[in-house]
Amino acid sequence: MTTEQEKAAAGEPVLQAIDLKRHYAVDGGFLKPAKTVKALDGVSFSLQAGRTLAVVGESGCGKSTLARVLTMIEPPSAGQLLYRGQDVSQADPALAKLRRRKIQIIFQNPYASLNPRKRIGDILEEPLLINTRLDARERRERGQAMMARVGLRPEHYSRYPHMFSGGQRQRIAIARGLMLDPEILVADEAVSALDVSVRAQVLNLMQDLQRDLGLSYVFISHDLSVVEHLADEVMVMYLGRVVEQGTKEAIFGRPLHPYTQALLSATPRLNEAARRERIKLSGELPSPLDPPPGCPFSSRCHRVMPVCSQRLPALMQQGGRQVACFAVEQDLGASAP
């Protein structure tokens, strides 16, 4: 048994985020001080090998920023990103090479993520050309084998992206992400731009690849019905912070945070018995430039209390999940994680 297999058997996380932050300095205007946008403000999680962590929340909650930080498209302002115990967020060439091989991303828009000037074969071979010493014949064989794995035909290898449908382009993007044999795929709204039937095909493909290759997914989505189908664990974000995190069964079976309850109540259900009473949120998502004091959700919460506008709730352990809410803490007597 190899060292990595021993670590996996011992339950070591394949990916671990520790208090990740990503802040942006924004010009406040003429004679005004600069402001800070806290797109990510202390996100932590552990991802086990072969598992899927789903990240959900409204637009502007920090999901895509998290995807860019996990793949180091943007470096974190603070915190650590550990791949099998190694901090790959450090400015170290060897760790950067390891990160590129082991953590890959699938972008949301299949029409913008592929270079229109390059043939599909060149797009698939490019990661191998940069990161390996394989010759042209070996790169082509690897590329064609990966195309077959994602359900594309050999004659597609010499075609350009504009000759494919959205679903086929996303299959190509998945194939490109798998060329370096990664362990982790970060899928940033990877099926949101596809129609329903094609979406189901791509999701089934991702599940097959996970089973066959032992992949771990960080699956970012606003579609909770897709999350319920695919995820093992769920992390709910609001304005750059995690408000609830736990297993899929715990989150969908008994959501505790008022924001999670509102999100799930808006999910369409064919089964009338499974439908939840609709909770309508009042107001808009606060500006990240000027968040409300205390809990960022307090301005829209139907369970707001005086303490909510005075202090920021911490993630507390309760019932197999972590929740950041004073109302839940009062109801259940939560304990620190």
Side-chain angles (χ1 to χ4, degrees), residues 196-222:
V196 175
S197 60
V198 177
R199 183 181 305 178
Q201 294 172 11
V202 173
L203 288 173
N204 289 335
L205 170 64
M206 292 181 68
Q207 286 186 309
D208 292 342
L209 291 171
Q210 184 176 45
R211 182 191 64 239
D212 297 340
L213 303 177
L215 294 170
S216 304
Y217 290 139
V218 178
F219 188 82
I220 295 169
S221 179
H222 64 272

mmCIF file of all heavy atoms in Angstrom, residues 196-222:
data_model
loop_
_atom_site.group_PDB
_atom_site.id
_atom_site.type_symbol
_atom_site.label_atom_id
_atom_site.label_comp_id
_atom_site.label_asym_id
_atom_site.label_seq_id
_atom_site.Cartn_x
_atom_site.Cartn_y
_atom_site.Cartn_z
ATOM 1 N N VAL A 196 -32.195 21.061 -19.347
ATOM 2 C CA VAL A 196 -32.436 20.046 -18.325
ATOM 3 C C VAL A 196 -31.963 18.662 -18.744
ATOM 4 O O VAL A 196 -31.304 17.954 -17.972
ATOM 5 C CB VAL A 196 -33.943 20.012 -17.961
ATOM 6 C CG1 VAL A 196 -34.225 18.871 -16.989
ATOM 7 C CG2 VAL A 196 -34.370 21.337 -17.350
ATOM 8 N N SER A 197 -32.266 18.240 -19.984
ATOM 9 C CA SER A 197 -31.901 16.891 -20.411
ATOM 10 C C SER A 197 -30.387 16.739 -20.514
ATOM 11 O O SER A 197 -29.823 15.726 -20.090
ATOM 12 C CB SER A 197 -32.559 16.562 -21.751
ATOM 13 O OG SER A 197 -32.146 17.479 -22.752
ATOM 14 N N VAL A 198 -29.703 17.744 -21.064
ATOM 15 C CA VAL A 198 -28.249 17.693 -21.178
ATOM 16 C C VAL A 198 -27.604 17.777 -19.794
ATOM 17 O O VAL A 198 -26.596 17.128 -19.512
ATOM 18 C CB VAL A 198 -27.747 18.831 -22.091
ATOM 19 C CG1 VAL A 198 -26.229 18.842 -22.152
ATOM 20 C CG2 VAL A 198 -28.328 18.693 -23.483
ATOM 21 N N ARG A 199 -28.208 18.567 -18.913
ATOM 22 C CA ARG A 199 -27.707 18.687 -17.545
ATOM 23 C C ARG A 199 -27.668 17.321 -16.872
ATOM 24 O O ARG A 199 -26.692 16.963 -16.211
ATOM 25 C CB ARG A 199 -28.586 19.648 -16.750
ATOM 26 C CG ARG A 199 -28.124 19.910 -15.338
ATOM 27 C CD ARG A 199 -29.087 20.848 -14.633
ATOM 28 N NE ARG A 199 -29.290 22.080 -15.367
ATOM 29 C CZ ARG A 199 -30.116 23.044 -14.984
ATOM 30 N NH1 ARG A 199 -30.822 22.903 -13.873
ATOM 31 N NH2 ARG A 199 -30.233 24.140 -15.705
ATOM 32 N N ALA A 200 -28.732 16.541 -17.039
ATOM 33 C CA ALA A 200 -28.791 15.215 -16.424
ATOM 34 C C ALA A 200 -27.690 14.308 -16.979
ATOM 35 O O ALA A 200 -27.069 13.542 -16.234
ATOM 36 C CB ALA A 200 -30.164 14.593 -16.664
ATOM 37 N N GLN A 201 -27.423 14.401 -18.288
ATOM 38 C CA GLN A 201 -26.376 13.573 -18.885
ATOM 39 C C GLN A 201 -24.998 13.929 -18.324
ATOM 40 O O GLN A 201 -24.193 13.039 -18.017
ATOM 41 C CB GLN A 201 -26.385 13.765 -20.405
ATOM 42 C CG GLN A 201 -27.643 13.255 -21.083
ATOM 43 C CD GLN A 201 -27.688 13.638 -22.549
ATOM 44 O OE1 GLN A 201 -26.704 14.110 -23.116
ATOM 45 N NE2 GLN A 201 -28.844 13.449 -23.179
ATOM 46 N N VAL A 202 -24.725 15.223 -18.183
ATOM 47 C CA VAL A 202 -23.421 15.648 -17.669
ATOM 48 C C VAL A 202 -23.270 15.253 -16.195
ATOM 49 O O VAL A 202 -22.205 14.820 -15.759
ATOM 50 C CB VAL A 202 -23.240 17.167 -17.861
ATOM 51 C CG1 VAL A 202 -21.961 17.652 -17.175
ATOM 52 C CG2 VAL A 202 -23.191 17.512 -19.342
ATOM 53 N N LEU A 203 -24.346 15.384 -15.413
ATOM 54 C CA LEU A 203 -24.287 14.976 -14.011
ATOM 55 C C LEU A 203 -24.037 13.483 -13.877
ATOM 56 O O LEU A 203 -23.246 13.041 -13.026
ATOM 57 C CB LEU A 203 -25.583 15.364 -13.303
ATOM 58 C CG LEU A 203 -25.801 16.855 -13.025
ATOM 59 C CD1 LEU A 203 -27.196 17.093 -12.476
ATOM 60 C CD2 LEU A 203 -24.751 17.384 -12.055
ATOM 61 N N ASN A 204 -24.694 12.698 -14.716
ATOM 62 C CA ASN A 204 -24.467 11.245 -14.687
ATOM 63 C C ASN A 204 -23.027 10.918 -15.077
ATOM 64 O O ASN A 204 -22.410 10.005 -14.502
ATOM 65 C CB ASN A 204 -25.447 10.539 -15.622
ATOM 66 C CG ASN A 204 -26.870 10.552 -15.093
ATOM 67 O OD1 ASN A 204 -27.085 10.663 -13.888
ATOM 68 N ND2 ASN A 204 -27.840 10.447 -15.985
ATOM 69 N N LEU A 205 -22.486 11.661 -16.057
ATOM 70 C CA LEU A 205 -21.092 11.464 -16.442
ATOM 71 C C LEU A 205 -20.168 11.772 -15.270
ATOM 72 O O LEU A 205 -19.222 11.014 -14.997
ATOM 73 C CB LEU A 205 -20.751 12.371 -17.630
ATOM 74 C CG LEU A 205 -19.269 12.458 -18.014
ATOM 75 C CD1 LEU A 205 -18.758 11.097 -18.482
ATOM 76 C CD2 LEU A 205 -19.044 13.525 -19.087
ATOM 77 N N MET A 206 -20.431 12.862 -14.552
ATOM 78 C CA MET A 206 -19.586 13.225 -13.411
ATOM 79 C C MET A 206 -19.645 12.158 -12.325
ATOM 80 O O MET A 206 -18.624 11.838 -11.698
ATOM 81 C CB MET A 206 -20.015 14.589 -12.871
ATOM 82 C CG MET A 206 -19.729 15.745 -13.813
ATOM 83 S SD MET A 206 -20.230 17.364 -13.152
ATOM 84 C CE MET A 206 -19.045 17.535 -11.799
ATOM 85 N N GLN A 207 -20.818 11.602 -12.096
ATOM 86 C CA GLN A 207 -20.926 10.536 -11.102
ATOM 87 C C GLN A 207 -20.164 9.281 -11.533
ATOM 88 O O GLN A 207 -19.509 8.625 -10.705
ATOM 89 C CB GLN A 207 -22.391 10.210 -10.855
ATOM 90 C CG GLN A 207 -23.124 11.265 -10.040
ATOM 91 C CD GLN A 207 -24.534 10.834 -9.696
ATOM 92 O OE1 GLN A 207 -25.314 10.423 -10.567
ATOM 93 N NE2 GLN A 207 -24.884 10.917 -8.429
ATOM 94 N N ASP A 208 -20.245 8.942 -12.826
ATOM 95 C CA ASP A 208 -19.511 7.781 -13.335
ATOM 96 C C ASP A 208 -18.005 7.986 -13.195
ATOM 97 O O ASP A 208 -17.274 7.066 -12.802
ATOM 98 C CB ASP A 208 -19.878 7.529 -14.803
ATOM 99 C CG ASP A 208 -21.317 7.053 -14.980
ATOM 100 O OD1 ASP A 208 -21.915 6.601 -13.981
ATOM 101 O OD2 ASP A 208 -21.837 7.153 -16.107
ATOM 102 N N LEU A 209 -17.542 9.194 -13.518
ATOM 103 C CA LEU A 209 -16.114 9.488 -13.411
ATOM 104 C C LEU A 209 -15.647 9.435 -11.954
ATOM 105 O O LEU A 209 -14.550 8.952 -11.658
ATOM 106 C CB LEU A 209 -15.817 10.863 -14.007
ATOM 107 C CG LEU A 209 -15.964 10.987 -15.526
ATOM 108 C CD1 LEU A 209 -15.867 12.443 -15.953
ATOM 109 C CD2 LEU A 209 -14.918 10.153 -16.250
ATOM 110 N N GLN A 210 -16.487 9.923 -11.062
ATOM 111 C CA GLN A 210 -16.137 9.877 -9.643
ATOM 112 C C GLN A 210 -16.004 8.436 -9.163
ATOM 113 O O GLN A 210 -15.060 8.102 -8.436
ATOM 114 C CB GLN A 210 -17.175 10.617 -8.812
ATOM 115 C CG GLN A 210 -16.831 10.707 -7.341
ATOM 116 C CD GLN A 210 -17.832 11.535 -6.564
ATOM 117 O OE1 GLN A 210 -19.048 11.387 -6.729
ATOM 118 N NE2 GLN A 210 -17.342 12.417 -5.710
ATOM 119 N N ARG A 211 -16.928 7.598 -9.588
ATOM 120 C CA ARG A 211 -16.881 6.190 -9.186
ATOM 121 C C ARG A 211 -15.673 5.472 -9.792
ATOM 122 O O ARG A 211 -14.968 4.712 -9.115
ATOM 123 C CB ARG A 211 -18.172 5.493 -9.639
ATOM 124 C CG ARG A 211 -18.256 4.016 -9.235
ATOM 125 C CD ARG A 211 -19.402 3.320 -9.918
ATOM 126 N NE ARG A 211 -19.213 3.293 -11.369
ATOM 127 C CZ ARG A 211 -20.068 3.830 -12.237
ATOM 128 N NH1 ARG A 211 -21.154 4.441 -11.829
ATOM 129 N NH2 ARG A 211 -19.826 3.746 -13.537
ATOM 130 N N ASP A 212 -15.389 5.721 -11.078
ATOM 131 C CA ASP A 212 -14.320 4.996 -11.765
ATOM 132 C C ASP A 212 -12.927 5.504 -11.398
ATOM 133 O O ASP A 212 -11.976 4.714 -11.341
ATOM 134 C CB ASP A 212 -14.514 5.104 -13.280
ATOM 135 C CG ASP A 212 -15.815 4.450 -13.751
ATOM 136 O OD1 ASP A 212 -16.358 3.614 -12.997
ATOM 137 O OD2 ASP A 212 -16.267 4.780 -14.864
ATOM 138 N N LEU A 213 -12.788 6.809 -11.173
ATOM 139 C CA LEU A 213 -11.473 7.410 -10.963
ATOM 140 C C LEU A 213 -11.215 7.805 -9.519
ATOM 141 O O LEU A 213 -10.113 8.278 -9.195
ATOM 142 C CB LEU A 213 -11.308 8.646 -11.867
ATOM 143 C CG LEU A 213 -11.491 8.416 -13.370
ATOM 144 C CD1 LEU A 213 -11.370 9.740 -14.127
ATOM 145 C CD2 LEU A 213 -10.480 7.408 -13.892
ATOM 146 N N GLY A 214 -12.213 7.667 -8.645
ATOM 147 C CA GLY A 214 -12.036 8.044 -7.248
ATOM 148 C C GLY A 214 -11.905 9.538 -7.036
ATOM 149 O O GLY A 214 -11.223 9.982 -6.108
ATOM 150 N N LEU A 215 -12.559 10.338 -7.872
ATOM 151 C CA LEU A 215 -12.448 11.797 -7.796
ATOM 152 C C LEU A 215 -13.179 12.349 -6.584
ATOM 153 O O LEU A 215 -14.157 11.766 -6.100
ATOM 154 C CB LEU A 215 -13.031 12.440 -9.061
ATOM 155 C CG LEU A 215 -12.309 12.167 -10.379
ATOM 156 C CD1 LEU A 215 -13.159 12.675 -11.546
ATOM 157 C CD2 LEU A 215 -10.948 12.820 -10.383
ATOM 158 N N SER A 216 -12.702 13.492 -6.110
ATOM 159 C CA SER A 216 -13.408 14.278 -5.092
ATOM 160 C C SER A 216 -13.869 15.561 -5.754
ATOM 161 O O SER A 216 -13.123 16.174 -6.529
ATOM 162 C CB SER A 216 -12.485 14.602 -3.912
ATOM 163 O OG SER A 216 -11.945 13.422 -3.362
ATOM 164 N N TYR A 217 -15.109 15.984 -5.456
ATOM 165 C CA TYR A 217 -15.676 17.178 -6.077
ATOM 166 C C TYR A 217 -15.950 18.262 -5.043
ATOM 167 O O TYR A 217 -16.445 17.977 -3.941
ATOM 168 C CB TYR A 217 -17.006 16.862 -6.772
ATOM 169 C CG TYR A 217 -16.912 16.013 -8.015
ATOM 170 C CD1 TYR A 217 -17.849 15.004 -8.260
ATOM 171 C CD2 TYR A 217 -15.912 16.227 -8.958
ATOM 172 C CE1 TYR A 217 -17.786 14.230 -9.411
ATOM 173 C CE2 TYR A 217 -15.842 15.448 -10.106
ATOM 174 C CZ TYR A 217 -16.776 14.455 -10.335
ATOM 175 O OH TYR A 217 -16.706 13.679 -11.469
ATOM 176 N N VAL A 218 -15.632 19.505 -5.417
ATOM 177 C CA VAL A 218 -16.222 20.669 -4.773
ATOM 178 C C VAL A 218 -17.215 21.208 -5.788
ATOM 179 O O VAL A 218 -16.821 21.791 -6.810
ATOM 180 C CB VAL A 218 -15.168 21.729 -4.403
ATOM 181 C CG1 VAL A 218 -15.846 22.950 -3.782
ATOM 182 C CG2 VAL A 218 -14.149 21.159 -3.435
ATOM 183 N N PHE A 219 -18.499 20.978 -5.549
ATOM 184 C CA PHE A 219 -19.545 21.251 -6.531
ATOM 185 C C PHE A 219 -20.297 22.514 -6.121
ATOM 186 O O PHE A 219 -21.033 22.514 -5.127
ATOM 187 C CB PHE A 219 -20.502 20.059 -6.626
ATOM 188 C CG PHE A 219 -21.498 20.153 -7.742
ATOM 189 C CD1 PHE A 219 -21.139 19.790 -9.029
ATOM 190 C CD2 PHE A 219 -22.780 20.607 -7.505
ATOM 191 C CE1 PHE A 219 -22.058 19.876 -10.064
ATOM 192 C CE2 PHE A 219 -23.700 20.696 -8.529
ATOM 193 C CZ PHE A 219 -23.341 20.337 -9.817
ATOM 194 N N ILE A 220 -20.104 23.582 -6.874
ATOM 195 C CA ILE A 220 -20.709 24.878 -6.561
ATOM 196 C C ILE A 220 -21.973 25.042 -7.403
ATOM 197 O O ILE A 220 -21.934 24.908 -8.631
ATOM 198 C CB ILE A 220 -19.700 26.003 -6.837
ATOM 199 C CG1 ILE A 220 -18.520 25.884 -5.874
ATOM 200 C CG2 ILE A 220 -20.354 27.371 -6.727
ATOM 201 C CD1 ILE A 220 -17.349 26.756 -6.217
ATOM 202 N N SER A 221 -23.082 25.326 -6.737
ATOM 203 C CA SER A 221 -24.347 25.401 -7.455
ATOM 204 C C SER A 221 -25.371 26.220 -6.676
ATOM 205 O O SER A 221 -25.281 26.344 -5.459
ATOM 206 C CB SER A 221 -24.899 23.986 -7.693
ATOM 207 O OG SER A 221 -26.135 24.022 -8.378
ATOM 208 N N HIS A 222 -26.329 26.782 -7.423
ATOM 209 C CA HIS A 222 -27.478 27.422 -6.775
ATOM 210 C C HIS A 222 -28.718 26.546 -6.908
ATOM 211 O O HIS A 222 -29.771 26.879 -6.372
ATOM 212 C CB HIS A 222 -27.750 28.794 -7.408
ATOM 213 C CG HIS A 222 -28.151 28.707 -8.858
ATOM 214 N ND1 HIS A 222 -27.229 28.706 -9.878
ATOM 215 C CD2 HIS A 222 -29.362 28.583 -9.438
ATOM 216 C CE1 HIS A 222 -27.865 28.601 -11.035
ATOM 217 N NE2 HIS A 222 -29.155 28.517 -10.798
#
